[in-house]
Amino acid sequence: MDELVTQLVAAGRDLVATGLTRASSGNLSALLPGGESFVVTGRGTWLDRLTPADFAVVGLDDTVRSGPAVPSTEYRLHLRTYQARPDVRSVVHAHPRMSVLVDALGHRIQPLTLDQIYYLPRIARIDFFPNGSWSLADNAAAACADADAVVLAYHGSSSVGDTVEMALRRAMVMEDAASMTYHAILAGRPELRFPPGVPLSE
């Protein structure tokens, strides 16, 4: 658990440093060995100031197991995602401004570079649901069934990975794709897509 917490602390700093979230918005988690519980950031914690005291352990049976912190109000998003995707070992919930803006403008975020299409061949989205609600958690988890990143309308994003690093990478890649999509819209070319049928490797 200590190593996972260390990785989450570093991910929190990276999220804030890259502008993907601000202050205490967003939350992070990682599935613990055994797959029966996960460690998640606590309520109201600033992601660039995390310490081991800022985490709680929650079981996949929706019980708080341990930890000095009270779980984030958004812990249900993490819980439902782990229940829906047994392959996922980490969930990053951020508040990326460009991703939310492009979605609010009525456009789908389009991966346009090799990296973007490789890490996120599909980006899902869900309608707005109240923060911390079971409705948000259930719909995000369902959308995550065939996508590794989900835009939460007028709210933020959820990205997943088999490691903390991969979940974080996908959050960053989605925001990069959103930025390029936005500039394509400004250029009058919202139809731009990554060329279909192009092999991603030799």
Side-chain angles (χ1 to χ4, degrees):
M1 175 172 160
D2 290 348
E3 176 58 29
L4 288 174
V5 167
T6 297
Q7 293 174 25
L8 292 171
V9 168
R13 287 197 300 266
D14 288 342
L15 279 175
V16 174
T18 55
L20 286 175
T21 199
R22 296 284 190 279
S24 61
S25 62
N27 30 77
L28 313 166
S29 72
L31 195 67
L32 293 173
E36 296 182 355
S37 58
F38 60 95
V39 59
V40 61
T41 48
R43 190 171 302 176
T45 52
W46 287 46
L47 296 191
D48 58 344
R49 305 177 186 177
L50 294 171
T51 71
D54 293 320
F55 291 86
V57 175
V58 178
L60 293 193
D61 58 356
D62 192 23
T63 60
V64 178
R65 301 286 178 87
S66 64
V70 176
S72 166
T73 54
E74 208 67 87
Y75 84 92
R76 295 180 180 90
L77 169 65
H78 301 256
L79 172 65
R80 286 294 195 244
T81 300
Y82 290 126
Q83 290 174 336
R85 289 278 303 271
D87 60 310
V88 167
R89 311 299 293 185
S90 181
V91 178
V92 168
H93 169 46
H95 289 186
R97 292 174 293 176
M98 194 62 75
S99 295
V100 173
L101 174 61
V102 168
D103 181 73
L105 289 171
H107 294 273
R108 298 298 295 261
I109 299 172
Q110 298 296 337
L112 292 175
T113 70
L114 178 61
D115 266 5
Q116 291 166 11
I117 201 72
Y118 179 80
Y119 289 108
L120 290 174
R122 180 175 182 274
I123 297 172
R125 58 95 56 196
I126 63 170
D127 291 333
F128 175 80
F129 294 94
N131 175 58
S133 66
W134 285 111
S135 296
L136 172 64
D138 290 339
N139 281 274
C144 192
D146 60 353
D148 292 322
V150 181
V151 180
L152 315 176
Y154 300 101
H155 181 170
S157 67
S158 177
S159 59
V160 302
D162 57 355
T163 64
V164 173
E165 184 179 65
M166 182 56 73
L168 174 64
R169 180 193 293 268
R170 285 179 172 140
M172 293 177 172
V173 168
M174 185 172 79
E175 183 70 344
D176 189 42
S179 179
M180 294 188 73
T181 299
Y182 181 70
H183 284 87
I185 295 168
L186 290 182
R189 298 290 305 281
E191 78 284 357
L192 283 179
R193 301 289 187 274
F194 187 86
V198 174
L200 302 186
S201 62
E202 291 185 344

